[in-house]
Amino acid sequence: MKSLNELEEIRKRALESVNLRKDREGTRVVVGMGTCGIAAGARPVLLAFLEEIKKRNIQDVTVTQTGCIGVCRLEPMVEVYRPGEEKVTYIKMTPDKVKRIIAEHIVNGRSVTEYTIGAEEK
Amino acid sequence: MEFYRAHVLVCGGTGCTSSGSTDIIDKFNDELQKHGLQNEIMVVRTGCFGLCEVGPIVIVYPEGAFYSRVEIGDVPEIVSEHLVKGRIVTRLLYHDSITEEETIKSLDEVGFYKKQMRLALRNCGVIDPENIDEYIAFDGYKALGKALTEMTPDQVIDTIKESGLRGRGGAGFPAGLKWEFTRNAVGDKKYVCCNADEGDPGAFMDRSILEGDPHSVLEAMTIAGYAVGADQGYIYVRAEYPIAVKRLTIAIAQARQYGLLGKNIFDSGFNFDIELRLGAGAFVCGEETALMASIEGRRGEPRPRPPFPAVKGVFSKPTLLNNVETYANIPQIILNGPEWFRTIGTEKSKGTKVFALGGKINNTGLVEVPMGTTLREIIYEIGGGIPGGKEFKAAQTGGPSGGCIPAQHLDTPIDYDSLTQIGSMMGSGGLIVMDEDNCMVDIARFFLDFTVDESCGKCPPCRIGTRRMLELLDKIVSGKGEEGDIEKLELLAKNIKASALCGLGQTAPNPVLSTIRYFRDEYEAHIKEKRCPAGVCQALLRYIIVAELCKGCGLCAKHCPVEAISGERRKPYTIDTDKCIKCGLCMEKCPFNAIIKK
Ligand SMILES: Cc1cc2nc3c(=O)[nH]c(=O)nc-3n(C[C@H](O)[C@H](O)[C@H](O)COP(=O)(O)O)c2cc1C
Ligand code: SF4
Ligand code: SF4
Ligand code: FES
Ligand code: FES
């Protein structure tokens, strides 16, 4: 160890792996993983989120699952909670949609309206 | 680096390890593999979470679900329900971690943790102690970097002095002063030692820190080495702590690999290395001069002081000795500043103290509270009260060197000085709770028996004096106590305290003195009435049949091995106390609970 900077490099790298155990204030992505969700393909959606987050090295995002969100015909469903904002619910999710949600909503804070539950109901 | 969406933290402290947490970790890994989740979910073995009573403990993040008493058979369910489907397995959650709406409380909301403040234990149960990167992620080794690159040794010492930190190993000597003495001592070589002997019965504070956060001690010792001008450190740890020894060994190797131990650390020209010395587990080896003799490979016997270790310690060189918990506070003080530390605690006792909570208490375990917390808060809020709704009688602090605190002092803010004032002491942090079913004479006897056993025999007051005291106590608990015995105990105690060579002998009479001070009536009941009010001392017990409750079934008489019970069917039976050998069989057998012991 030669300097504080070198230590800081290690710290930054290591922080990613323990961040989950610190205060959870960042964005939360919740994937519906009830029986219907899994049958409708929720698992590939979940994996796509993990893959994208890893690829883009995004900090402060947690990905969790929940049971059936309740509207089985719209599964797979995903809810995105950003601190201080209304929850956004995406429906009929696919791995392709995940990329856009990450890029536009998670990173830039603009939800992808056409994928949301609101768009479907209109 | 993989992005893990969930972390499964499994406690790898001694408590949970002995209740099977290693197998649980293996099972988690198997099950995750089975579901193809091994790249999404990480399993981490941590140090003690403090609630050993309800171990093995598993915490799943990001939800922070706190599972207690997890058995190997529960693992597949946690994986398939919680980790695959996101449905928390409510039945396994620690009872106090769920709100009325069945949602999970955050850990600081749980009764056990709410009043706690974890400084020395900050990483225990949070990081993987066998992975230096996780320690660094939580600001580990930053204090060392700061000290070596931005501070002079004198500034480091001033910081510790200003913080008000006092030694956590028992006596509460100001740490900064000790560092200064060692720095100012003249010597071509100096040493920094860590006392991890922890010999008090029931204590496991230091063990838990070493198991859960070994790097914090290494970092602090290195800072101390820089401050006092030493290049070699020794950790004296008992061989009976295999998990602690293993984690320390791993931690030292990792620190060396990163150049955080060794030559020219942080390019400052400062060299420091640490070695372990294993102790055989004699209580007296925790005493500083005995400990140093043992490090040198000599017999662990105390010698008179002065000279103090700061002047003449290991291999006759100036030596700094601090306790594990004392060290664990150092990095935080360097990083956050002495002013921050001074805001915690009482006027003369700054910071926090770790206690091993045991005895008659619902949440047995490891707790850390700010100095000045009252015993009532520790016992009733953090400890969850006394099982079975029993009455609090006293708490014993300071182990075999300490004393008991009776109910009238439940609201005393705990710090070094208040405890001494009420006749106990902080000691290293054992805290044993006693209820109405504990006999205070018996408790005093238990601790004295321990010290008699552990006396190294070098000085007569301790070797012979404590034995005489034990004999008197034996006499009292076996119903042969005489008028004047209490006074004899007091006189012996006074003389031993004044003349014993080391702290072991000097403090050995304390448990006896403090129980006499607060529970003299109990001693008198044993001596004058040949009665043990708590119903503990076997020799003073009497088994009696309550005539009003006895239905005359005769079962007791049938089971009595010495035919001490007689009577007529359907009429109350009686016990001949002269014949009774107090085996208690009759009481167990009576279907109507008509037999009591008194
Ligand atoms: C009989 C006896 C046993 C002791 N055992 C321990 C022990 O297990 N751990 C400890 O840190 N200090 C123990 N001490 C206190 C040490 O002698 C010494 O004061 C302490 O380690 C200094 O560190 P501190 O200033 O950081 O508290 C013991 C003292 C006596 C007299
Ligand atoms: S067993 Fe109980 S009820 Fe029966 S005779 Fe003995 S004391 Fe009485
Ligand atoms: S305690 Fe044992 S010896 Fe005494 S009366 Fe009961 S059965 Fe008999
Ligand atoms: S050992 Fe697991 S909680 Fe203490
Ligand atoms: S072993 Fe960690 S305190 Fe129980």
Side-chain angles (χ1 to χ4, degrees), chain A residues 1 17 21 24 43 47 65, chain B residues 7 40 62 83-84 126 258:
Chain A
M1 193 67 54
S17 69
R21 291 171 234 162
R24 286 158 278 132
R43 185 81 195 133
L47 290 178
Q65 326 97 296
Chain B
H7 293 184
E40 294 167 39
L83 296 171
V84 174
V126 178
Y258 271 24

Side-chain angles (χ1 to χ4, degrees), chain A residues 1-3 7 10-11 14-15 17-18 20-22 24 33 43 46-47 50 54 61 64-66, chain B residues 2-3 5 7 37 40 42 44 61-62 83-86 126 133-134 136-138 141 258 266-267:
Chain A
M1 193 67 54
K2 289 291 161 228
S3 66
L7 185 73
I10 300 176
R11 191 184 74 86
L15 195 59
S17 69
V18 297
L20 212 56
R21 291 171 234 162
K22 295 187 135 179
R24 286 158 278 132
M33 290 284 260
R43 185 81 195 133
L46 177 89
L47 290 178
L50 300 182
K54 181 173 125 191
V61 181
T64 60
Q65 326 97 296
T66 181
Chain B
E2 289 295 328
F3 174 80
R5 66 175 166 89
H7 293 184
L37 299 174
E40 294 167 39
M42 169 156 88
V44 186
Y61 285 103
L83 296 171
V84 174
K85 298 186 190 147
V126 178
D133 285 356
E134 293 206 352
I136 293 175
F138 286 91
Y141 288 107
Y258 271 24
F266 280 105
D267 211 14

Side-chain angles (χ1 to χ4, degrees), chain B residues 132-401:
Chain B
I132 189 171
D133 285 356
E134 293 206 352
Y135 179 66
I136 293 175
F138 286 91
D139 295 333
Y141 288 107
K142 214 170 169 176
L144 176 64
K146 181 176 171 190
L148 292 189
T149 59
E150 296 168 9
M151 297 167 84
T152 64
D154 285 325
Q155 281 170 332
V156 174
I157 288 175
D158 285 342
T159 303
I160 303 303
K161 268 166 70 181
E162 275 165 39
S163 74
L165 175 68
R166 294 169 66 172
R168 302 293 193 242
F173 191 81
L177 269 185
K178 213 191 249 185
W179 289 31
E180 188 172 61
F181 292 154
T182 317
R183 173 162 182 80
N184 292 341
V186 186
D188 51 349
K189 186 157 177 92
K190 292 180 188 176
Y191 295 96
V192 166
C193 295
C194 173
N195 191 340
D197 193 52
E198 197 167 55
D200 296 22
F204 51 88
M205 299 75 55
D206 296 344
R207 184 190 75 202
S208 301
I209 293 174
L210 295 175
E211 287 177 356
D213 196 16
H215 284 286
S216 67
V217 174
L218 303 187
E219 181 180 7
M221 287 178 70
T222 312
I223 295 171
Y226 173 69
V228 305
D231 63 359
Q232 176 67 50
Y234 291 109
I235 301 178
Y236 188 82
V237 55
R238 46 180 52 214
E240 290 147 55
Y241 282 181
I243 301 178
V245 170
K246 174 173 163 233
R247 302 228 168 112
L248 276 171
T249 310
I250 293 172
I252 291 174
Q254 289 177 342
R256 281 183 189 148
Q257 202 183 358
Y258 271 24
L260 291 162
L261 284 176
K263 298 247 177 296
N264 196 18
I265 304 167
F266 280 105
D267 211 14
S268 63
F270 171 66
N271 308 329
F272 194 75
D273 203 9
I274 295 176
E275 282 177 41
L276 297 186
R277 284 287 179 271
L278 301 193
F283 179 56
V284 76
C285 283
E287 193 281 332
E288 53 189 30
T289 59
L291 179 143
M292 295 186 177
S294 183
I295 287 181
E296 294 170 15
R298 292 186 290 120
R299 194 188 156 96
E301 273 182 356
R303 60 155 174 83
R305 298 174 307 178
F308 286 92
V311 176
K312 198 167 176 229
V314 179
F315 302 114
S316 299
K317 304 293 181 194
T319 301
L320 172 73
L321 175 72
N322 276 126
N323 162 265
V324 172
E325 190 186 332
T326 314
Y327 282 124
N329 280 293
I330 300 285
Q332 301 264 94
I333 295 174
I334 300 282
L335 280 183
N336 300 332
E339 303 78 19
W340 162 79
F341 195 73
R342 294 186 66 84
T343 60
I344 307 160
T346 62
E347 196 199 330
K348 291 203 175 126
S349 305
K350 299 299 178 192
T352 58
K353 180 75 194 87
V354 182
F355 290 99
L357 201 52
K360 306 284 180 63
I361 184 94
N362 278 316
N363 298 335
T364 309
L366 198 66
V367 310
E368 179 171 358
V369 291
M371 298 273 188
T373 304
T374 67
L375 202 53
R376 189 186 299 283
E377 289 169 304
I378 298 180
I379 293 175
Y380 288 96
E381 294 181 42
I382 299 171
I386 295 170
K390 296 262 167 127
E391 199 59 41
F392 170 85
K393 186 172 193 175
Q396 159 84 24
T397 63
S401 318

